[in-house]
C-alpha cells in the first residue's frame, strides 16, 4: 500500500527495537534498546527512534481516517514524528 502525502509518497513502513549502545572498546558494554519506526519515501528512508510501532500506527490510522495525511507535507510529517518521539 502506498500512502500519499502532499509532496511525496510513503512506500514502506517498518518498526521494532534496535540496540543503540555505544560500540567502542572503552565504552560500558551494557545494552540499551529503543523502539524505532522506519518510513520509506520512494528511494529515501528515515528512521525515527523512540517511537513504538503501535504509537505510530495509532496516529497514522487517525490521520488517514480524518484525511489529514494527504494534506500533510514531508516536513510536517517529520515534525509530527519528532513530537511522537518526545512523548
Amino acid at each position: 500500500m502506498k500512502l500519499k502525502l502532499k509532496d511525496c509518497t510513503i512506500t514502506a513502513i517498518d518498526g521494532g527495537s534496535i540496540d543503540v549502545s555505544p560500540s567502542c572498546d572503552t565504552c560500558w558494554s551494557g545494552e540499551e534498546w529503543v523502539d524505532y519506526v522506519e518510513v520509506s519515501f520512494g528511494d529515501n528512508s528515515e528512521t525515527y527512534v523512540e517511537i513504538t510501532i503501535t504509537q505510530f500506527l495509532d496516529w497514522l490510522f487517525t490521520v488517514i481516517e480524518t484525511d489529514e495525511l494527504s494534506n500533510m507535507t514531508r516536513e510536517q510529517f517529520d515534525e509530527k514524528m519528532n513530537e511522537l518521539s518526545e512523548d
Side-chain angles (χ1 to χ4, degrees), residues 19-38:
D19 183 0
V20 294
S21 305
S23 58
C24 66
D25 296 335
T26 60
C27 298
W28 178 69
S29 63
E31 292 182 358
E32 181 183 355
W33 291 82
V34 296
D35 293 321
Y36 76 94
V37 173
E38 182 177 0

Side-chain angles (χ1 to χ4, degrees), residues 64-79:
I64 289 171
E65 193 174 272
T66 60
D67 203 32
E68 292 175 59
L69 187 67
S70 61
N71 294 317
M72 189 177 289
T73 64
R74 167 74 191 274
E75 182 179 344
Q76 291 168 322
F77 183 89
D78 286 338
E79 288 172 5

Side-chain angles (χ1 to χ4, degrees), residues 7-68:
D7 58 355
C8 64
T9 302
I10 296 172
T11 56
I13 298 169
D14 190 19
S17 295
I18 55 174
D19 183 0
V20 294
S21 305
S23 58
C24 66
D25 296 335
T26 60
C27 298
W28 178 69
S29 63
E31 292 182 358
E32 181 183 355
W33 291 82
V34 296
D35 293 321
Y36 76 94
V37 173
E38 182 177 0
V39 180
S40 296
F41 303 92
D43 293 335
N44 301 320
S45 66
E46 184 74 34
T47 301
Y48 305 95
V49 294
E50 297 187 13
I51 300 173
T52 65
I53 192 70
T54 305
Q55 177 186 26
F56 171 73
L57 290 176
D58 284 347
W59 170 78
L60 183 65
F61 288 135
T62 300
V63 295
I64 289 171
E65 193 174 272
T66 60
D67 203 32
E68 292 175 59

